[in-house]
Amino acid sequence: MTMSEEPNPPRLIAWELTSRCNLSCVHCRGASTDEKAIGELDTSEAKTFIDQVASLGSPILILSGGEPLVRPDVYELANYGTNKGLRVVLATNGTLLERETVRKLKEAGIKRVSISLDGADSATHDGFRGVEGAFDKAMEGIDALKAEGMDFQINTTITKRNLGEIPRILKMATSLNAEALHIFLLVPTGRGENLANEEIPPAEYERILRWFYEQKKHTSLELKATCAPHYFRIMRQCAEKEGMEVSINTHGFDAVSRGCLGGTAFCFVSSTGDVQPCGYLPAIAGNIRNQSFGEIWNNSTLFNELRDFSLLKGKCGKCEYKNVCGGCRARAYAATGDYLEEEPYCIYHPRQK
Ligand code: HEM
Ligand SMILES: C[C@H]1O[C@@H](n2cnc3c(N)ncnc32)[C@H](O)[C@@H]1O
Ligand code: SF4
């Protein structure tokens, strides 16, 4: 492969620093528990990985987990990534954040912190998170972020349990002065497999994503639908009805992004160094203990398949929106065992039969 044929570098990497966690959420894709992690990358391996990422480009590096704050070298690694020119952010359940923790994260160059809130109150949130008091602790964590002037966003996973609370969560994110609300639609993987019957039905997906589109017109909060690739079709259908062109001026960053970014602009790296299209799709492109990150990103068959939208099967393969949506490859895999199959939670009928 010549230089000019090399794929674009990733724009965003989610890195599971550890699979360990102080909570035990019912939907956790990593089925995380408080048990000691086996085979975790050590500090020096972790730094080599950061070197390799930085030599390829300068993506946003999301320090995730498990719970990244249970790993003692989280600050050292954040600092290392920052010094290499990466935009390093942290994804946490918020329960371990104190003012001192936030100060150290700031010193390490962390630019933004995401806090997961799966309910507008303790009853719903603690029900998801498996630990009583998780909601109150996360709110205390948010107080600490605000007190130290750290930017933060709320991440919410949507299932049948909390669908009715999403407008309240949006209000809460607004009154808390968050920068953003990112919604994640449940992928039935890891412990989430047990929640498969709690996935919201496809027609509800359409409704909530249309609602999301409308809300964007009335808020300065950055609203992003993650793991909801249909949003990018719905946005275009709504814009067409409104007689609008979709452009960066009218629709911001969404206009130039697409639904599933797994393997094209995004990837996930597990605590043991497996490189995957995303954290919800247990297909492995390679392991950074055996190959460099760049080699895996550029050459893996899995990633090159995901970059070729002509390989999509079923409805997704025929769909006129395939370049902007692409379906959730993880949900297709969970339903059929084939990540190129059609997205099972989409009601749209492509024009081509
Ligand atoms: C700036 C702070 C941000 C934080 C803290 C954050 C946090 C997260 C977290 C926690 C995940 C799930 C990863 C995992 O643990 O499996 C995630 C996934 C993702 N985020 Fe963000 N994010 C941020 C910004 C962005 C931005 C600016 C984009 C825009 C492109 C973005 C796009 C995505 C995508 C595409 C995924 C992956 C979904 C998948 O797995 O298919 N994020 N983000
Ligand atoms: C990193 C973000 O991913 C969410 N998360 C964890 N497991 C799943 C799943 N199976 N499906 C969708 N989102 C999930 C967390 O709740 C957190 O907000
Ligand atoms: S979703 Fe996050 S907080 Fe919940 S168990 Fe998994 S790693 Fe822990």
Side-chain angles (χ1 to χ4, degrees):
M1 193 182 263
T2 64
M3 282 303 284
S4 60
E5 285 168 341
E6 244 161 42
N8 292 329
R11 291 204 307 268
L12 192 74
I13 299 175
W15 180 15
E16 182 189 44
L17 277 191
T18 178
S19 62
R20 252 184 110 170
C21 186
N22 59 323
L23 300 184
S24 50
C25 303
V26 285
H27 63 304
C28 183
R29 57 143 171 71
S32 288
T33 66
D34 202 18
E35 264 168 52
K36 192 173 164 22
I38 301 165
E40 206 167 77
L41 299 179
D42 64 24
T43 307
S44 123
E45 287 174 310
K47 285 184 178 170
T48 305
F49 164 60
I50 293 172
D51 290 340
Q52 292 174 354
V53 168
S55 71
L56 204 63
S58 45
I60 299 177
L61 182 63
I62 305 166
L63 304 184
S64 182
E67 175 48 50
L69 292 176
V70 305
R71 200 172 149 143
D73 59 1
V74 60
Y75 311 100
E76 186 180 344
L77 295 177
N79 189 46
Y80 193 81
T82 303
N83 288 338
K84 290 275 168 180
L86 307 181
R87 184 180 164 86
V88 189
V89 300
L90 181 92
T92 170
N93 61 43
T95 59
L96 303 172
L97 282 175
E98 286 171 2
R99 286 188 68 159
E100 178 57 19
T101 331
V102 181
R103 272 198 286 273
K104 288 201 282 189
L105 291 170
K106 262 195 131 171
E107 269 166 33
I110 292 282
K111 298 290 184 300
R112 194 190 276 190
V113 172
S114 69
I115 304 281
S116 302
L117 284 183
D118 297 326
D121 54 35
S122 346
T124 314
H125 181 78
D126 294 0
F128 264 93
R129 298 266 145 187
V131 173
E132 222 173 287
F135 182 81
D136 292 343
K137 278 271 175 216
M139 295 311 267
E140 282 170 30
I142 290 176
D143 285 343
L145 292 167
K146 288 171 68 154
E148 294 297 331
M150 171 74 91
D151 282 357
F152 68 97
Q153 68 178 52
I154 306 296
N155 286 349
T156 302
T157 301
I158 300 183
T159 74
K160 283 181 188 165
R161 289 185 196 206
N162 61 0
L163 184 61
E165 285 178 40
I166 305 305
R168 271 168 70 205
I169 295 178
L170 174 57
K171 276 201 190 111
M172 210 162 77
T174 307
S175 62
L176 287 168
N177 255 326
E179 299 292 314
L181 171 64
H182 288 195
I183 54 166
F184 291 70
L185 293 180
L186 176 77
V187 185
T189 185
R191 261 200 303 272
E193 215 180 317
N194 307 326
L195 258 59
N197 60 358
E198 292 192 30
E199 276 188 274
I200 58 172
E204 285 296 311
Y205 265 73
E206 294 283 311
R207 196 184 61 74
I208 191 85
L209 294 177
R210 265 190 230 124
W211 176 84
F212 215 58
Y213 179 84
E214 284 307 312
Q215 296 312 304
K216 281 192 188 227
K217 297 175 183 162
H218 312 296
T219 179
S220 56
L221 206 66
E222 170 200 318
L223 298 183
K224 191 176 154 293
T226 297
C227 307
H230 341 5
Y231 181 77
F232 293 81
R233 160 179 55 80
I234 290 169
M235 174 180 81
R236 282 173 176 78
Q237 290 172 312
C238 291
E240 197 177 16
K241 271 200 202 127
E242 294 162 345
M244 270 169 94
E245 284 283 322
V246 171
S247 77
I248 221 160
N249 292 333
T250 54
H251 293 77
F253 183 68
D254 284 345
V256 291
S257 189
R258 77 184 289 271
C260 178
L261 298 177
T264 58
F266 174 82
C267 73
F268 171 87
V269 178
S270 83
S271 63
T272 55
D274 284 336
V275 183
Q276 301 171 203
C278 78
Y280 311 101
L281 173 48
I284 298 168
N287 188 291
I288 57 172
R289 282 181 166 136
N290 307 326
Q291 274 172 294
S292 76
F293 175 73
E295 222 177 298
I296 298 170
W297 178 262
N298 287 333
N299 303 328
S300 99
T301 310
L302 168 60
F303 284 174
N304 281 316
E305 274 180 353
L306 291 171
R307 288 167 192 150
D308 182 354
F309 308 144
S310 74
L311 297 179
L312 290 174
K313 298 179 186 169
K315 233 168 54 162
C316 289
K318 292 185 199 134
C319 186
E320 61 277 21
Y321 291 103
K322 76 176 167 191
N323 291 336
V324 294
C325 169
C328 171
R329 301 294 99 228
R331 223 173 270 126
Y333 182 80
T336 68
D338 180 352
Y339 49 77
L340 293 171
E341 262 302 340
E342 68 184 31
E343 148 81 59
Y345 273 73
C346 173
I347 57 165
Y348 185 68
H349 297 293
R351 288 191 199 129
Q352 186 199 326
K353 293 288 167 223

